[in-house]
Amino acid sequence: MSLGFIATIRAIRNFLFSKANREFLLFLFFLVIAGLFWLMMALNETYEKEIKFYVRITNVPQNVVLTSGDIDSVRVNIKDKGFSLFSFIYSEDQIPVDIDFVKYAGSNGTGSVSAIDLQRLFEHRLPASAKITSVKTEKLSFYYNHGEKKKVPVRWRGHITPDPHYFLSKTIINPDSVTIYSSHAQLDSIDYVYTEDLNYSDFHDTLSIKCRLHSGSGIKVVPQKVSIQFLTDILTEESIDSIPVIGINMPEGKVLRTFPSRVSVRIVTGMKNYRALSASDFLVVADYEQFSQSNSAKCPIVLKRIPDGITKATLEVKQVDYLIERK
């Protein structure tokens, strides 16, 4: 053992066992004893605490589907000595309390367990000295059916706003449809399943989200989560030229000639989307029924068809000269 190490040990010993430090250590010892005594007195008092019991529906027949899930929870107030409460709360393994489906299921697709029955079930999990003072529900309800299901599309809900210089070009939901289980009446009334509220803003790269689906009471959704991708593109304002003007509702044997015969439209869209567009994607019409009774030498034209992915589309001219010819 080196002399330096021995000197260090000696210095520590002299410091700890100096007169001042001996008094401090003695004070600390009695402080710990007093703290332990206070803790024992405190834990010997009676307390009331709210805890959560998990319940599980068991003994479910094979031809039955639980549409409210097989696990639920109930909050309960219990009263007991501090020692017993502390031991129960912090050592409880949270094994769910079993509820027999056959015993509590009704005949109309619902089942319920009264607060009295719940209290009786929970008391078996408590220490003998503990008392339940209240159950925070009048009854526990669960829902089921006999396999009735329906496949419906998924729609997202919320506010998705990319960076002001970007455009939301495409949304990909995977899977794009889910299976729902519920009562016959509810199945008939559901056309879509919506996601939880999604609120994201000021992003410019592809936004990928995994989110839960919203389901109402008595409705089981499979799967319960979907993945959504919001694809962005850089906003651009461009012009699509040479779109032909088409006459509609023309009388038999008559043909509409317009001057010019082709027009342009100004659009705001994503750069990738713009590169894939052509004049044939748009439809510009002049409706004979709208201008035949007018004395004007011009006829109005309307943008009748616009491709997806365009936020603004405006014709550069609203009226054109025209001539009606016989075939």
Side-chain angles (χ1 to χ4, degrees):
M1 186 178 295
S2 67
L3 294 177
F5 179 76
I6 295 174
T8 302
I9 294 297
R10 186 179 291 113
I12 294 173
R13 184 189 61 188
N14 292 338
F15 173 77
L16 290 177
F17 291 97
S18 64
K19 182 178 180 180
N21 284 321
R22 282 201 306 270
E23 293 177 355
F24 172 75
L25 291 173
L26 188 62
F27 167 78
L28 189 61
F29 171 76
F30 284 108
L31 181 63
V32 170
I33 294 297
L36 291 174
F37 180 75
W38 172 86
L39 180 62
M40 293 177 63
M41 293 290 292
L43 290 177
N44 198 43
E45 296 290 332
T46 300
Y47 296 93
E48 187 169 333
K49 178 74 174 177
E50 181 182 278
I51 65 171
K52 179 162 58 175
F53 275 102
Y54 289 95
V55 297
R56 174 176 55 196
I57 311 298
T58 60
N59 199 23
V60 181
Q62 289 187 350
N63 65 334
V64 169
V65 177
L66 289 172
T67 58
S68 55
D70 58 352
I71 297 289
D72 206 339
S73 62
V74 178
R75 294 191 175 275
V76 176
N77 279 354
I78 62 174
K79 181 184 289 187
D80 202 355
K81 295 286 187 180
F83 282 111
S84 183
L85 271 179
F86 182 86
S87 174
F88 175 76
I89 293 173
Y90 293 101
S91 65
E92 180 66 20
D93 54 10
Q94 292 298 317
I95 297 175
V97 175
D98 291 339
I99 293 179
D100 189 346
F101 174 89
V102 175
K103 182 177 181 180
Y104 294 102
S107 59
N108 58 348
T110 62
S112 63
V113 188
S114 68
I116 294 176
D117 285 347
L118 287 172
Q119 180 170 334
R120 189 179 302 115
L121 291 168
F122 297 154
E123 283 175 346
H124 292 297
R125 291 292 181 88
L126 294 175
S129 58
K131 301 294 181 183
I132 295 179
T133 59
S134 65
V135 178
K136 296 293 186 71
T137 182
E138 294 183 1
K139 63 179 180 179
L140 174 72
S141 298
F142 58 91
Y143 302 88
Y144 66 93
N145 72 11
H146 291 85
E148 295 92 340
K149 61 183 179 180
K150 179 180 179 181
K151 197 165 188 177
V152 295
V154 176
R155 289 189 172 182
W156 67 270
R157 180 171 58 186
H159 299 281
I160 303 295
T161 309
D163 183 280
H165 296 95
Y166 284 77
F167 170 72
L168 198 60
S169 61
K170 190 175 183 181
T171 302
I172 301 174
I173 303 177
N174 185 33
D176 59 2
S177 59
V178 293
T179 301
I180 58 173
Y181 296 82
S182 187
S183 65
H184 181 74
Q186 282 184 305
L187 289 177
D188 286 343
S189 65
I190 299 173
D191 296 319
Y192 306 97
V193 170
Y194 290 93
T195 67
E196 60 189 344
D197 285 342
L198 306 176
N199 297 292
Y200 296 88
S201 60
D202 297 329
F203 61 94
H204 53 80
D205 293 325
T206 297
L207 177 64
S208 298
I209 304 169
K210 192 165 187 178
C211 60
R212 296 187 64 85
L213 296 175
H214 177 76
S215 61
S217 177
I219 301 172
K220 182 178 182 179
V221 180
V222 180
Q224 295 181 332
K225 291 183 178 181
V226 296
S227 298
I228 304 182
Q229 285 185 309
F230 294 97
L231 280 63
T232 58
D233 197 357
I234 299 175
L235 273 177
T236 183
E237 184 174 356
E238 301 290 346
S239 178
I240 304 293
D241 302 321
S242 298
I243 303 172
V245 179
I246 308 297
I248 60 173
N249 297 320
M250 297 298 296
E252 187 73 23
K254 293 185 178 181
V255 177
L256 177 68
R257 307 290 186 190
T258 63
F259 308 94
S261 62
R262 295 175 179 270
V263 294
S264 300
V265 60
R266 298 291 298 178
I267 61 170
V268 176
T269 186
M271 181 63 72
K272 295 177 184 177
N273 192 43
Y274 168 70
R275 291 170 181 164
L277 293 175
S278 66
S280 61
D281 295 320
F282 298 83
L283 177 63
V284 177
V285 302
D287 191 342
Y288 178 81
E289 294 180 354
Q290 291 186 356
F291 65 81
S292 59
Q293 303 301 320
S294 173
N295 295 324
S296 173
K298 294 180 179 291
C299 67
I301 58 175
V302 179
L303 188 57
K304 206 70 172 175
R305 185 179 69 220
I306 305 171
D308 293 335
I310 293 176
T311 57
K312 295 179 182 179
T314 308
L315 285 168
E316 292 191 344
V317 293
K318 303 292 186 182
Q319 293 181 322
V320 292
D321 294 320
Y322 73 95
L323 179 66
I324 297 177
E325 297 179 346
R326 291 188 180 275
K327 288 185 180 179

